[in-house]
């Protein structure tokens, strides 16, 4: 199958050639002819399959007829995160080099002015996160009745993030006669029901189920301690001992852990960046660019922030926490070992996580081995030198011991080149890891404030009322009775 057999316009075909693609991916070959025939499409595909071009290429072809009017976009693409929206915009720019299309990116975390100016000029294509789109709509800056094509991308992630009520509102605002393209990596019954609601007589296209992992990835479970500072030491051991480590993503289940771990690794002088929903857009963009260019070797991230990011050539994935949804395991480790390359995925498992390990094994059908046969893992700083007595006593480690062993390990590796660590500064590591935890404000600004029911493990949890789970110490002091 070649691109020229799909019915795309000559200008789009020329752009595809410039992009250097020799043949369509399976999702492109299946979806593009139907999109060009103006059919609704329900696609089961995840990022990395060429899904973005599967909808953008035919959209550009179809947009060749007609022009946009001020504040009346002709096509609307909804994305769950700012990064995905920005990535789709990049794709649009790449594939529309031979067209004069106005693209507006409407995402949170950046100023309204620029976005409003673009809307006023007339946008052919709007790429938006639901919160910002509704915001601009409510300010009277967009009219939705000119939308001819609506794309709902990453529908399962939209559901996880609590965006479905927003999507329902948006769908009601666009004309009933629109063409709808709906993509999701997984199709649980609730997503199927939504697709039923939004699509008319859709064509279904699907590529490799999200339950399979690549054979080119070497996967391991790693038995990890529960205490955070011990767990961080184990992670550092895994990083230091890793073979062929070019760069890696470290996934945490909660964004407060992303922040804590990032600070800890920075303090230990690793080349590290972090990505979670609270960061402002320019920091997120800068971090991603640094990671892509190789300037940053390790990226600590939450699922929400990292989902679908197109970062080629990641050699390692470290799951600092076992994902509580088994499909997230597949997505996370799918960040490495792409396009037939080798990859390594380590998942740290505490005793409390065993049930999630079971669910992942059932979903993937993979027989994943335990590192060291599943023995409790200590930091390699220590394990590499520890005598049996030392190992035994290490299970009762104190923070102080942890600190000391780090110093020993740092001394032991002196002179070795560590690609993941920054050049050593003169100042020694002083502060205890436990002290690096800093409060992180909750929730992504894109999430509508009214969204209910986010899963408790979700990165973007609602802002707790009052003190949340934390009870200030003064409230715990016994009260004195008078009189
Ligand atoms: P996506 O699934 O849309 O995020 O695409 C994943 C990556 O595949 C992106 O880097 C695209 O530039 C690339 N890509 C998309 N279509 C093709 C193709 N037909 N041949 C080679 N690479 C492609």
């Amino acid at each position: 199958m070649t691109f020229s057999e799909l019915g795309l316009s000559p200008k789009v075909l020329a752009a595809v050639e410039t992009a250097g693609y020799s043949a369509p991916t399976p999702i492109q070959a299946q979806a593009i002819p139907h999109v060009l025939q103006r059919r609704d499409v329900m696609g089961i595909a995840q990022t990395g399959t060429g899904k973005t071009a599967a909808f953008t290429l035919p959209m550009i072809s179809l947009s060749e007829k007609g022009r946009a009017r001020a504040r009346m976009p002709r096509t609307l693409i909804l994305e769950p995160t700012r990064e995905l929206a920005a990535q789709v915009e990049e794709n649009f720019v790449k594939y529309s080099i031979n067209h004069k299309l106005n693209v507006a990116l409407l995402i949170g975390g950046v100023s309204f002015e620029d976005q409003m100016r673009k809307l006023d000029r007339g946008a052919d294509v709007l790429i938006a996160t639901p919160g910002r789109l509704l915001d601009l709509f409510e300010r009277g800056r967009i009219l939705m009745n000119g939308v001819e094509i609506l794309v709902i991308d990453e529908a399962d992630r939209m559901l996880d993030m609590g965006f479905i009520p927003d999507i329902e509102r948006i769908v009601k605002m666009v004309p009933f006669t629109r063409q709808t393209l709906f993509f999701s990596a997984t199709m649980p019954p609730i997503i199927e029901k939504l697709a039923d609601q939004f699509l008319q007589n859709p064509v279904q296209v699907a590529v490799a189920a999200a339950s399979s992992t690549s054979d080119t990835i070497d996967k391991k479970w790693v038995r990890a301690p529960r205490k955070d500072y011990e767990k961080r030491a184990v992670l550092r051991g895994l990083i230091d001992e890793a073979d062929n480590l070019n760069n890696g993503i470290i996934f945490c289940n909660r964004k407060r852990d992303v922040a804590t771990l990032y600070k800890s690794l920075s303090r230990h002088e690793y080349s590290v960046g972090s990505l979670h929903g609270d960061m402002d857009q320019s920091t997120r963009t800068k971090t991603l660019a640094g990671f892509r260019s190789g300037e940053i070797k390790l990226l600590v991230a939450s699922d929400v922030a990292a989902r679908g990011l197109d970062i080629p050539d990641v050699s390692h994935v470290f799951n600092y926490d076992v994902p509580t949804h088994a499909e997230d395991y597949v997505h996370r480790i799918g960040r490495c070992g792409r396009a037939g390359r080798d990859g390594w995925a380590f998942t740290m498992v505490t005793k409390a996580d065993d049930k999630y390990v079971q669910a992942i094994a059932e979903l993937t059908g993979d027989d994943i081995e335990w590192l060291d046969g599943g023995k409790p893992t200590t930091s390699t700083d220590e394990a590499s030198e520890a005598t049996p007595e030392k190992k035994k006593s290490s299970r009762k480690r104190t923070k102080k011991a942890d600190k000391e062993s780090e110093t020993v390990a740092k001394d032991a590796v002196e002179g070795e080149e560590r690609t993941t660590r920054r050049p050593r500064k003169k100042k020694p590591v002083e502060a205890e890891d436990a002290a690096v935890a800093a409060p992180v404000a909750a929730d992504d600004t894109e999430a509508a404030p009214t969204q209910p029911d986010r899963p408790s493990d979700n990165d973007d949890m609602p802002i707790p009322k009052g003190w949340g789970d934390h009870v200030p110490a003064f409230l715990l002091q016994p009260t004195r009775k008078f009189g």
Side-chain angles (χ1 to χ4, degrees), residues 182-249:
F182 182 97
F183 290 90
S184 189
T186 54
M187 228 13 111
I190 184 160
I191 294 286
E192 249 176 279
K193 239 163 114 186
L194 282 171
D196 260 6
Q197 195 183 317
F198 299 151
L199 303 169
Q200 288 181 46
N201 187 24
V203 184
Q204 278 206 28
V205 295
V207 292
S211 60
S212 52
T213 61
S214 164
D215 291 340
T216 61
I217 304 172
D218 183 354
K219 298 149 222 151
K220 292 274 189 301
W221 304 124
V222 183
R223 185 53 82 190
R226 283 185 86 152
K227 284 194 181 115
D228 286 338
Y229 60 89
E230 289 187 348
K231 211 174 162 189
R232 287 195 288 267
V234 170
L235 175 71
R236 290 196 298 277
L238 289 173
I239 295 169
D240 292 348
E241 292 288 302
D243 288 330
N244 306 306
L245 179 64
N246 178 41
N247 57 357
I249 305 182

Side-chain angles (χ1 to χ4, degrees), residues 220-224 349 351 369-377:
K220 292 274 189 301
W221 304 124
V222 183
R223 185 53 82 190
V349 185
K351 280 277 180 227
E369 281 178 18
W370 285 86
L371 192 73
D372 295 335
K375 282 200 294 276
T377 314

Side-chain angles (χ1 to χ4, degrees), residues 121-426:
R121 270 209 325 253
D124 296 279
V125 185
L126 278 194
I127 304 166
T129 48
R132 180 55 67 101
L133 181 79
L134 285 171
D135 210 335
L136 284 158
F137 179 78
E138 276 152 18
R139 289 167 190 236
R141 310 302 299 210
I142 317 172
L143 295 167
M144 302 284 210
N145 39 359
V147 172
E148 294 160 20
I149 306 176
L150 170 68
V151 180
I152 301 169
D153 197 16
E154 303 264 339
D156 50 355
R157 189 50 41 165
M158 296 277 198
L159 178 77
D160 284 354
M161 293 179 69
F163 283 144
I164 295 302
D166 284 351
I167 304 286
E168 284 176 325
R169 273 187 68 199
I170 294 166
V171 169
K172 282 194 190 122
M173 287 163 6
V174 297
F176 181 70
T177 49
R178 72 184 182 259
Q179 178 183 13
T180 312
L181 314 175
F182 182 97
F183 290 90
S184 189
T186 54
M187 228 13 111
I190 184 160
I191 294 286
E192 249 176 279
K193 239 163 114 186
L194 282 171
D196 260 6
Q197 195 183 317
F198 299 151
L199 303 169
Q200 288 181 46
N201 187 24
V203 184
Q204 278 206 28
V205 295
V207 292
S211 60
S212 52
T213 61
S214 164
D215 291 340
T216 61
I217 304 172
D218 183 354
K219 298 149 222 151
K220 292 274 189 301
W221 304 124
V222 183
R223 185 53 82 190
R226 283 185 86 152
K227 284 194 181 115
D228 286 338
Y229 60 89
E230 289 187 348
K231 211 174 162 189
R232 287 195 288 267
V234 170
L235 175 71
R236 290 196 298 277
L238 289 173
I239 295 169
D240 292 348
E241 292 288 302
D243 288 330
N244 306 306
L245 179 64
N246 178 41
N247 57 357
I249 305 182
I250 303 164
F251 284 100
C252 298
N253 287 0
R254 293 171 196 81
K255 62 185 163 192
R256 63 169 175 271
D257 292 336
V258 170
T260 306
L261 193 54
Y262 165 71
K263 284 191 180 166
S264 170
L265 289 170
S266 308
R267 208 177 282 273
H268 284 271
E269 299 174 358
Y270 287 86
S271 163
V272 64
S274 69
L275 212 60
H276 65 69
D278 284 337
M279 297 161 68
D280 65 76
Q281 191 54 37
S282 67
T283 314
R284 287 164 136 185
T285 310
K286 222 168 106 195
T287 304
L288 261 182
F291 189 64
R292 281 207 184 101
S293 72
E295 194 189 316
I296 296 171
K297 294 288 181 194
L298 299 169
L299 185 66
V300 189
S302 65
D303 285 293
V304 171
R307 175 88 165 210
L309 296 181
D310 180 26
I311 303 164
D313 275 336
V314 173
S315 65
H316 283 65
V317 167
F318 300 94
N319 288 319
Y320 183 74
D321 299 302
V322 183
T324 51
H325 298 294
E327 301 89 49
D328 281 337
Y329 176 83
V330 180
H331 290 296
R332 286 182 184 186
I333 75 160
R335 307 280 96 215
C336 70
R338 303 184 112 191
R341 294 188 198 95
D342 287 333
W344 289 263
F346 294 94
T347 302
M348 299 174 62
V349 185
T350 67
K351 280 277 180 227
D353 297 324
D354 284 351
K355 55 183 180 293
Y356 303 126
V357 166
Q358 184 65 24
I360 291 167
E362 276 167 21
L363 177 77
T364 60
D366 289 342
D367 190 11
I368 303 172
E369 281 178 18
W370 285 86
L371 192 73
D372 295 335
K375 282 200 294 276
T377 314
T378 53
S379 76
T380 48
D381 297 350
E382 214 183 37
S384 57
E385 294 161 349
T387 60
E389 289 76 25
K390 270 190 187 163
K391 273 189 183 160
K392 209 168 142 199
S393 66
S394 74
R395 287 187 209 121
K396 293 183 191 162
R397 290 165 64 124
T398 60
K399 266 187 244 176
K400 189 163 168 265
D402 184 49
K403 225 171 69 183
E404 279 163 6
S405 71
E406 282 156 10
T407 316
V408 169
K410 278 165 82 65
D411 293 346
V413 295
E414 196 139 34
E416 275 182 33
E417 197 196 329
R418 291 185 180 207
T419 50
T420 49
R421 288 204 190 190
R422 289 205 181 93
R424 290 185 62 189
K425 291 179 208 131
K426 282 203 183 91

